Amino acid sequence: ELKVEQNPLFLSMQEGKNYTIYCNYSTTSDRLYWYRQDPGKSLESLFVLLSNGAVKQEGRLMASLDTKARLSTLHITAAVHDLSATYFCAVDQNTGNQFYFGTGTSLTVIP
Amino acid sequence: KAGVTQTPRYLIKTRGQQVTLSCSPISGHRSVSWYQQTPGQGLQFLFEYFSETQRNKGNFPGRFSGRQFSNSRSEMNVSTLELGDSALYLCASSYSGGQGYTFGSGTRLTVV
């Protein structure tokens, strides 16, 4: 079974700082997804990465995928309080219809 | 454009009962997936339907079942409820899978 590991599990960072969340997975896949979840809410799609070397950016967030290393990163630039949430990566085994989620990274941005 | 709609939002059931949860996907989406989210196990895949056919099933007991109707709406059923079934159940839809899924707000099930 495909395993997905995220680290760190918890991240507390000051506003204005940069940080990276890592997502490692255990078997070959070319598809990786990043989601955000606010407390008590559902999952909001952030990025869909569908090939090796894919890089996508939206505001202060940038995601990349290295399928050879089985690694995706979510980079946060100049964090602001509104980015406080739990971030999940998800991988599928190229079927496109069964996601394996990481454990989630709970991010708190401190003013 | 309406999003993925799940009903009910909250549900309290007693052990041994059964429950049915409903999911209406985004118009035009034919793939519907279900996930269970708990603090201990995280997000786990239950099953996925496409054009009324189950294409994938996760590692859950047979008490968990689902179906999809011709209008792509989906239901999942849990029979003989156990305390451990308490969770947030999320439905997600996609045109065909592969491009990512849009998730609904979820149904929070509490088993007492």
Side-chain angles (χ1 to χ4, degrees):
Chain A
E1 182 179 295
L2 194 157
K3 301 289 185 192
V4 184
E5 291 184 353
Q6 275 181 250
N7 67 81
L9 295 183
F10 299 94
L11 177 55
S12 181
M13 55 191 297
Q14 285 189 312
E15 278 190 333
K17 298 291 187 184
N18 304 334
Y19 208 83
T20 301
I21 298 170
Y22 297 88
C23 174
N24 290 90
Y25 53 98
S26 61
T27 63
T28 302
S29 175
D30 292 332
R31 303 167 186 258
L32 191 132
Y33 311 84
W34 284 96
Y35 286 88
R36 167 184 170 144
Q37 186 176 39
D38 291 292
K41 305 284 183 146
S42 187
L43 297 167
E44 174 191 353
S45 178
L46 295 174
F47 300 108
V48 178
L49 304 170
L50 299 179
S51 62
N52 185 40
V55 178
K56 292 199 174 178
Q57 182 163 6
E58 180 73 34
R60 301 174 188 274
L61 301 178
M62 183 174 71
S64 66
L65 177 61
D66 181 343
T67 59
K68 290 181 172 57
R70 299 176 188 166
L71 170 69
S72 179
T73 60
L74 180 65
H75 187 72
I76 303 156
T77 301
V80 293
H81 180 69
D82 284 352
L83 290 179
S84 297
T86 299
Y87 293 84
F88 291 94
C89 63
V91 181
D92 78 59
Q93 290 185 279
N94 295 332
T95 61
N97 55 35
Q98 179 174 352
F99 287 0
Y100 294 84
F101 279 88
T103 49
T105 296
S106 176
L107 169 65
T108 303
V109 180
I110 304 166
Chain B
K1 189 176 184 181
V4 179
T5 303
Q6 289 188 248
T7 56
R9 290 293 308 276
Y10 303 92
L11 208 47
I12 300 175
K13 289 286 189 178
T14 305
R15 272 181 302 174
Q17 287 186 313
Q18 74 164 16
V19 66
T20 299
L21 312 182
S22 179
C23 173
S24 294
I26 289 173
S27 179
H29 284 191
R30 297 158 67 191
S31 172
V32 174
S33 295
W34 289 89
Y35 289 83
Q36 181 196 65
Q37 185 175 26
T38 60
Q41 298 298 317
L43 281 151
Q44 294 185 285
F45 173 79
L46 282 156
F47 26 66
E48 186 260 355
Y49 288 87
F50 182 83
S51 293
E52 302 179 67
T53 300
Q54 185 182 88
R55 292 198 294 190
N56 265 319
K57 189 179 191 310
N59 191 24
F60 278 81
R63 300 185 297 106
F64 291 82
S65 63
R67 59 178 174 169
Q68 187 180 34
F69 301 96
S70 58
N71 62 358
S72 294
R73 191 176 71 84
S74 177
E75 289 181 347
M76 67 163 280
N77 184 276
V78 187
S79 62
T80 319
L81 284 165
E82 301 177 0
L83 294 179
D85 296 333
S86 294
L88 179 66
Y89 289 89
L90 292 165
C91 166
S93 77
S94 171
Y95 178 72
S96 62
Q99 308 88 4
Y101 280 79
T102 301
F103 281 79
S105 299
T107 294
R108 185 163 296 281
L109 171 65
T110 303
V111 182
V112 297

